[in-house]
Amino acid sequence: MTHPHVDPAVLEIIKALPKVDLHLHLDGCILPSTLLELAREQQQPLPADEPQTLLPYMQVEGQCDNLKQYLERFDLVLPMLQTGEALERTAYEAVQQSAADNGMYIEVRFAPQLHTARGLTAAAAIGHVIEGLQRGERQYGVRAQVIAICMRHHNEALNREVIEAAAQYLGRGLAAVDLAGDEAGFPPELFRSVFALAAQHGLPATIHAGEAGGPANIREAIHGLGAVRIGHGVRLREDPALLAEVRSLQVPLEMCPVSNIQTRAVTDWSDYPIRDYLEQGLFVTVNTDNPTVSGTTMTREYSELAARFGFRPAEIATLILNSIEAAWLDAPAKDALRQRLLSSCASQGIQLHGHAHDE
Ligand SMILES: [Zn+2]
């Protein structure tokens, strides 16, 4: 995928705005240089021995045939992320990368049960990721929380373990739980009892839905699994009645434009419904999904919107306001983020007009 041409002045504004990323996968943002070091330390093989030559194995070129092919990029990195030290480091570096892109808040998600091959428990894995995020917070002043993911191809016992482990950390570095993986192969109704357990523990849920599957998965995620945010939701437009309901409920959609194009959630940019969704009053947020795999940053995501759909700086700032509102933070923490954004807007001469999602 080629980078779009953005007006250099707009690009500078996007870079300077303090940003929020609510949909960011830990194993999708590991740096090639870090993966090489971890492989060396752990004496594990990799297909290349320099960051530049390793990157093509970690990154998607152009579009994949489907989500499954995209997810295969993770097979390379997971073997190196089986120790507490590796998880802590990767989480810390997620915060570091956000800081380099003027991030002010991130929610980093990962699937604890994909990191137990060398004896870690799901709970221990979550603990190590939180340690890394909190070290990053102290170092860079970017707030960070974790979201624990249940995997669609895992059995109920493994996923219940994730929920129980997540419950131990709720409010202590963990914000919520999620369901991810092969959406087309495993419909959401299989996971009702797992997410009923999450609700019993007071764990909020976001669910990947309407990315590789149709709008029925979004309906089931909300009504069957109790999701209060939706990962992607790109295919919502296929069901106008559901779209109206999602609008009236103001369920935030965690859209990830670059990734959504690569996984063919839509055929190409001209078909990407983000403008349409905002105009229809949906609660849209913009996120990276997997910075390394997708070759993206929050700056790139917003630059794409500026270049391809003519988003103005005020509209981008409004999208950031949406992300703040959708964040799993208390009111004072959200206020603090809003103040940072508003003062950046004021200093850059950006005039805001309310929230994009309730206009
Ligand atoms: Zn995702």
Side-chain angles (χ1 to χ4, degrees), residues 84-126:
E85 212 182 345
L87 285 171
E88 198 271 355
R89 175 177 178 174
T90 310
Y92 173 80
E93 291 181 358
V95 183
Q96 183 180 49
Q97 290 173 72
S98 173
D101 194 36
N102 260 325
M104 58 176 168
Y105 176 64
I106 53 176
E107 289 173 4
V108 179
R109 59 189 73 198
F110 85 114
Q113 300 289 23
L114 296 180
H115 303 272
T116 57
R118 289 165 72 179
L120 283 178
T121 62
I126 293 172

Short mmCIF file of all heavy atoms in Angstrom, two decimals, residues 84-126:
data_model
loop_
_atom_site.label_atom_id
_atom_site.label_comp_id
_atom_site.label_asym_id
_atom_site.label_seq_id
_atom_site.Cartn_x
_atom_site.Cartn_y
_atom_site.Cartn_z
N GLY A 84 8.03 -13.82 30.90
CA GLY A 84 7.60 -12.58 31.56
C GLY A 84 8.43 -11.40 31.11
O GLY A 84 7.91 -10.31 30.86
N GLU A 85 9.73 -11.62 30.98
CA GLU A 85 10.65 -10.56 30.59
C GLU A 85 10.31 -10.02 29.19
O GLU A 85 10.30 -8.82 28.95
CB GLU A 85 12.05 -11.16 30.58
CG GLU A 85 13.14 -10.20 30.93
CD GLU A 85 14.51 -10.91 30.85
OE1 GLU A 85 14.56 -12.17 30.81
OE2 GLU A 85 15.51 -10.18 30.83
N ALA A 86 10.05 -10.94 28.26
CA ALA A 86 9.74 -10.54 26.88
C ALA A 86 8.42 -9.78 26.83
O ALA A 86 8.29 -8.78 26.10
CB ALA A 86 9.69 -11.77 25.97
N LEU A 87 7.44 -10.22 27.59
CA LEU A 87 6.14 -9.53 27.61
C LEU A 87 6.28 -8.14 28.23
O LEU A 87 5.73 -7.16 27.71
CB LEU A 87 5.11 -10.34 28.40
CG LEU A 87 4.55 -11.58 27.69
CD1 LEU A 87 3.70 -12.41 28.65
CD2 LEU A 87 3.73 -11.19 26.46
N GLU A 88 7.03 -8.07 29.31
CA GLU A 88 7.23 -6.78 29.99
C GLU A 88 7.89 -5.79 29.04
O GLU A 88 7.47 -4.64 28.89
CB GLU A 88 8.08 -7.00 31.25
CG GLU A 88 8.01 -5.89 32.27
CD GLU A 88 9.05 -4.79 32.07
OE1 GLU A 88 9.91 -4.90 31.17
OE2 GLU A 88 8.97 -3.80 32.81
N ARG A 89 8.93 -6.25 28.36
CA ARG A 89 9.67 -5.38 27.44
C ARG A 89 8.79 -4.92 26.27
O ARG A 89 8.81 -3.74 25.90
CB ARG A 89 10.89 -6.15 26.89
CG ARG A 89 11.63 -5.35 25.85
CD ARG A 89 12.87 -6.06 25.36
NE ARG A 89 13.51 -5.25 24.33
CZ ARG A 89 14.67 -5.53 23.78
NH1 ARG A 89 15.34 -6.61 24.16
NH2 ARG A 89 15.17 -4.75 22.85
N THR A 90 8.07 -5.84 25.68
CA THR A 90 7.23 -5.49 24.53
C THR A 90 6.14 -4.49 24.93
O THR A 90 5.84 -3.55 24.19
CB THR A 90 6.59 -6.76 23.93
OG1 THR A 90 7.63 -7.71 23.73
CG2 THR A 90 5.92 -6.47 22.60
N ALA A 91 5.58 -4.68 26.13
CA ALA A 91 4.55 -3.75 26.62
C ALA A 91 5.16 -2.36 26.86
O ALA A 91 4.59 -1.33 26.47
CB ALA A 91 3.94 -4.29 27.91
N TYR A 92 6.35 -2.34 27.48
CA TYR A 92 7.04 -1.07 27.70
C TYR A 92 7.29 -0.36 26.37
O TYR A 92 7.06 0.85 26.23
CB TYR A 92 8.37 -1.35 28.43
CG TYR A 92 9.27 -0.15 28.57
CD1 TYR A 92 9.04 0.80 29.57
CD2 TYR A 92 10.35 0.03 27.70
CE1 TYR A 92 9.87 1.91 29.70
CE2 TYR A 92 11.18 1.13 27.83
CZ TYR A 92 10.94 2.07 28.82
OH TYR A 92 11.76 3.16 28.94
N GLU A 93 7.72 -1.12 25.38
CA GLU A 93 8.03 -0.51 24.09
C GLU A 93 6.78 -0.06 23.33
O GLU A 93 6.87 0.83 22.48
CB GLU A 93 8.89 -1.47 23.24
CG GLU A 93 10.28 -1.62 23.83
CD GLU A 93 11.20 -2.55 23.04
OE1 GLU A 93 10.76 -3.13 22.02
OE2 GLU A 93 12.35 -2.68 23.46
N ALA A 94 5.64 -0.67 23.64
CA ALA A 94 4.39 -0.17 23.05
C ALA A 94 4.13 1.26 23.53
O ALA A 94 3.72 2.13 22.75
CB ALA A 94 3.22 -1.08 23.42
N VAL A 95 4.39 1.50 24.81
CA VAL A 95 4.21 2.84 25.36
C VAL A 95 5.24 3.80 24.76
O VAL A 95 4.93 4.93 24.38
CB VAL A 95 4.33 2.83 26.91
CG1 VAL A 95 4.08 4.22 27.47
CG2 VAL A 95 3.36 1.82 27.51
N GLN A 96 6.47 3.32 24.65
CA GLN A 96 7.54 4.12 24.05
C GLN A 96 7.18 4.54 22.61
O GLN A 96 7.35 5.70 22.23
CB GLN A 96 8.81 3.26 24.04
CG GLN A 96 10.05 3.94 23.53
CD GLN A 96 11.23 2.97 23.58
OE1 GLN A 96 11.14 1.82 23.11
NE2 GLN A 96 12.34 3.40 24.18
N GLN A 97 6.66 3.60 21.84
CA GLN A 97 6.28 3.91 20.45
C GLN A 97 5.13 4.91 20.41
O GLN A 97 5.10 5.79 19.54
CB GLN A 97 5.87 2.64 19.71
CG GLN A 97 7.04 1.69 19.43
CD GLN A 97 6.55 0.37 18.85
OE1 GLN A 97 6.12 0.31 17.71
NE2 GLN A 97 6.60 -0.69 19.63
N SER A 98 4.20 4.77 21.33
CA SER A 98 3.10 5.73 21.38
C SER A 98 3.63 7.13 21.72
O SER A 98 3.23 8.12 21.11
CB SER A 98 2.05 5.29 22.41
OG SER A 98 1.08 6.30 22.58
N ALA A 99 4.55 7.18 22.67
CA ALA A 99 5.13 8.48 23.06
C ALA A 99 5.80 9.14 21.85
O ALA A 99 5.68 10.36 21.65
CB ALA A 99 6.13 8.29 24.20
N ALA A 100 6.49 8.34 21.05
CA ALA A 100 7.19 8.88 19.88
C ALA A 100 6.22 9.45 18.86
O ALA A 100 6.59 10.26 18.01
CB ALA A 100 8.05 7.79 19.23
N ASP A 101 4.97 9.03 18.92
CA ASP A 101 3.93 9.50 17.99
C ASP A 101 2.99 10.49 18.70
O ASP A 101 1.87 10.71 18.25
CB ASP A 101 3.16 8.28 17.47
CG ASP A 101 2.29 8.60 16.26
OD1 ASP A 101 2.71 9.44 15.43
OD2 ASP A 101 1.18 8.04 16.15
N ASN A 102 3.45 11.09 19.79
CA ASN A 102 2.63 12.01 20.58
C ASN A 102 1.35 11.37 21.10
O ASN A 102 0.29 11.99 21.13
CB ASN A 102 2.26 13.25 19.77
CG ASN A 102 3.15 14.42 20.13
OD1 ASN A 102 3.56 14.57 21.29
ND2 ASN A 102 3.47 15.24 19.15
N GLY A 103 1.46 10.13 21.53
CA GLY A 103 0.32 9.48 22.18
C GLY A 103 0.17 9.98 23.60
O GLY A 103 1.16 10.39 24.23
N MET A 104 -1.06 9.99 24.10
CA MET A 104 -1.25 10.33 25.52
C MET A 104 -1.99 9.23 26.27
O MET A 104 -1.97 9.20 27.50
CB MET A 104 -1.95 11.68 25.71
CG MET A 104 -3.31 11.79 25.06
SD MET A 104 -4.08 13.40 25.45
CE MET A 104 -5.43 13.36 24.29
N TYR A 105 -2.61 8.31 25.55
CA TYR A 105 -3.28 7.19 26.22
C TYR A 105 -3.42 6.02 25.24
O TYR A 105 -3.79 6.23 24.08
CB TYR A 105 -4.69 7.61 26.70
CG TYR A 105 -5.47 6.47 27.31
CD1 TYR A 105 -5.02 5.85 28.48
CD2 TYR A 105 -6.63 6.00 26.72
CE1 TYR A 105 -5.73 4.78 29.04
CE2 TYR A 105 -7.35 4.94 27.28
CZ TYR A 105 -6.88 4.33 28.44
OH TYR A 105 -7.57 3.28 28.98
N ILE A 106 -3.11 4.80 25.72
CA ILE A 106 -3.30 3.61 24.88
C ILE A 106 -3.94 2.49 25.69
O ILE A 106 -3.72 2.36 26.89
CB ILE A 106 -1.98 3.09 24.25
CG1 ILE A 106 -0.89 2.86 25.30
CG2 ILE A 106 -1.49 4.06 23.19
CD1 ILE A 106 0.40 2.24 24.75
N GLU A 107 -4.74 1.69 25.02
CA GLU A 107 -5.24 0.44 25.58
C GLU A 107 -4.63 -0.67 24.73
O GLU A 107 -4.88 -0.76 23.53
CB GLU A 107 -6.77 0.42 25.57
CG GLU A 107 -7.34 1.39 26.61
CD GLU A 107 -8.85 1.56 26.58
OE1 GLU A 107 -9.53 0.87 25.78
OE2 GLU A 107 -9.35 2.39 27.36
N VAL A 108 -3.79 -1.48 25.38
CA VAL A 108 -3.01 -2.50 24.67
C VAL A 108 -3.63 -3.86 24.94
O VAL A 108 -3.79 -4.26 26.09
CB VAL A 108 -1.55 -2.48 25.16
CG1 VAL A 108 -0.74 -3.56 24.45
CG2 VAL A 108 -0.92 -1.11 24.95
N ARG A 109 -3.99 -4.57 23.87
CA ARG A 109 -4.66 -5.85 24.08
C ARG A 109 -3.76 -7.02 23.70
O ARG A 109 -2.90 -6.90 22.81
CB ARG A 109 -5.98 -5.90 23.33
CG ARG A 109 -5.89 -5.69 21.85
CD ARG A 109 -7.28 -5.52 21.23
NE ARG A 109 -7.90 -4.23 21.53
CZ ARG A 109 -9.20 -3.96 21.42
NH1 ARG A 109 -10.02 -4.88 20.99
NH2 ARG A 109 -9.67 -2.76 21.70
N PHE A 110 -3.94 -8.12 24.36
CA PHE A 110 -3.21 -9.35 24.01
C PHE A 110 -3.97 -10.54 24.57
O PHE A 110 -4.81 -10.41 25.46
CB PHE A 110 -1.76 -9.29 24.53
CG PHE A 110 -1.58 -9.73 25.95
CD1 PHE A 110 -0.86 -10.88 26.26
CD2 PHE A 110 -2.13 -9.00 26.99
CE1 PHE A 110 -0.70 -11.30 27.57
CE2 PHE A 110 -1.96 -9.41 28.31
CZ PHE A 110 -1.25 -10.56 28.60
N ALA A 111 -3.66 -11.72 24.03
CA ALA A 111 -4.34 -12.96 24.43
C ALA A 111 -3.42 -13.75 25.35
O ALA A 111 -2.49 -14.40 24.89
CB ALA A 111 -4.68 -13.78 23.19
N PRO A 112 -3.68 -13.71 26.66
CA PRO A 112 -2.76 -14.37 27.61
C PRO A 112 -2.49 -15.83 27.26
O PRO A 112 -1.36 -16.31 27.43
CB PRO A 112 -3.50 -14.25 28.95
CG PRO A 112 -4.41 -13.08 28.79
CD PRO A 112 -4.79 -13.03 27.34
N GLN A 113 -3.49 -16.55 26.75
CA GLN A 113 -3.30 -17.98 26.50
C GLN A 113 -2.39 -18.27 25.30
O GLN A 113 -2.06 -19.43 25.06
CB GLN A 113 -4.66 -18.69 26.28
CG GLN A 113 -5.61 -18.60 27.46
CD GLN A 113 -5.19 -19.44 28.67
OE1 GLN A 113 -4.02 -19.78 28.85
NE2 GLN A 113 -6.16 -19.77 29.52
N LEU A 114 -2.00 -17.24 24.55
CA LEU A 114 -1.03 -17.45 23.47
C LEU A 114 0.40 -17.29 23.99
O LEU A 114 1.36 -17.34 23.22
CB LEU A 114 -1.28 -16.46 22.32
CG LEU A 114 -2.63 -16.60 21.60
CD1 LEU A 114 -2.75 -15.55 20.49
CD2 LEU A 114 -2.80 -18.00 21.02
N HIS A 115 0.54 -17.07 25.30
CA HIS A 115 1.86 -16.80 25.87
C HIS A 115 2.20 -17.75 27.02
O HIS A 115 2.97 -17.41 27.91
CB HIS A 115 1.93 -15.33 26.32
CG HIS A 115 1.64 -14.38 25.20
ND1 HIS A 115 2.61 -13.91 24.34
CD2 HIS A 115 0.47 -13.88 24.74
CE1 HIS A 115 2.04 -13.13 23.42
NE2 HIS A 115 0.75 -13.10 23.64
N THR A 116 1.61 -18.94 26.99
CA THR A 116 1.78 -19.88 28.10
C THR A 116 2.61 -21.11 27.72
O THR A 116 2.72 -22.06 28.49
CB THR A 116 0.40 -20.37 28.59
OG1 THR A 116 -0.30 -20.95 27.48
CG2 THR A 116 -0.44 -19.22 29.15
N ALA A 117 3.23 -21.07 26.49
CA ALA A 117 3.92 -22.26 25.99
C ALA A 117 5.10 -22.66 26.87
O ALA A 117 5.51 -23.83 26.89
CB ALA A 117 4.41 -22.02 24.56
N ARG A 118 5.67 -21.69 27.60
CA ARG A 118 6.83 -22.03 28.45
C ARG A 118 6.49 -21.91 29.94
O ARG A 118 7.36 -21.59 30.75
CB ARG A 118 8.03 -21.17 28.05
CG ARG A 118 8.57 -21.62 26.67
CD ARG A 118 9.49 -20.63 26.03
NE ARG A 118 10.79 -20.57 26.69
CZ ARG A 118 11.78 -19.78 26.28
NH1 ARG A 118 11.60 -18.99 25.22
NH2 ARG A 118 12.92 -19.75 26.93
N GLY A 119 5.22 -22.09 30.25
CA GLY A 119 4.86 -22.25 31.65
C GLY A 119 4.20 -21.06 32.33
O GLY A 119 3.78 -21.17 33.48
N LEU A 120 4.14 -19.89 31.67
CA LEU A 120 3.43 -18.77 32.29
C LEU A 120 1.95 -19.12 32.43
O LEU A 120 1.39 -19.78 31.55
CB LEU A 120 3.53 -17.52 31.41
CG LEU A 120 4.82 -16.72 31.40
CD1 LEU A 120 4.68 -15.55 30.42
CD2 LEU A 120 5.15 -16.19 32.79
N THR A 121 1.33 -18.64 33.49
CA THR A 121 -0.14 -18.74 33.57
C THR A 121 -0.73 -17.51 32.90
O THR A 121 -0.03 -16.51 32.68
CB THR A 121 -0.62 -18.76 35.03
OG1 THR A 121 -0.23 -17.51 35.64
CG2 THR A 121 -0.01 -19.93 35.80
N ALA A 122 -2.02 -17.58 32.59
CA ALA A 122 -2.69 -16.43 31.99
C ALA A 122 -2.57 -15.22 32.92
O ALA A 122 -2.27 -14.10 32.47
CB ALA A 122 -4.16 -16.75 31.72
N ALA A 123 -2.76 -15.43 34.21
CA ALA A 123 -2.69 -14.33 35.17
C ALA A 123 -1.28 -13.74 35.22
O ALA A 123 -1.11 -12.50 35.24
CB ALA A 123 -3.12 -14.79 36.56
N ALA A 124 -0.26 -14.60 35.21
CA ALA A 124 1.11 -14.10 35.25
C ALA A 124 1.42 -13.29 33.99
O ALA A 124 2.05 -12.23 34.05
CB ALA A 124 2.09 -15.26 35.39
N ALA A 125 0.94 -13.77 32.86
CA ALA A 125 1.18 -13.05 31.60
C ALA A 125 0.57 -11.65 31.68
O ALA A 125 1.22 -10.66 31.31
CB ALA A 125 0.58 -13.83 30.43
N ILE A 126 -0.65 -11.55 32.19
CA ILE A 126 -1.28 -10.23 32.32
C ILE A 126 -0.46 -9.35 33.27
O ILE A 126 -0.21 -8.18 32.99
CB ILE A 126 -2.74 -10.38 32.84
CG1 ILE A 126 -3.61 -11.06 31.78
CG2 ILE A 126 -3.33 -9.00 33.20
CD1 ILE A 126 -5.02 -11.43 32.27
#
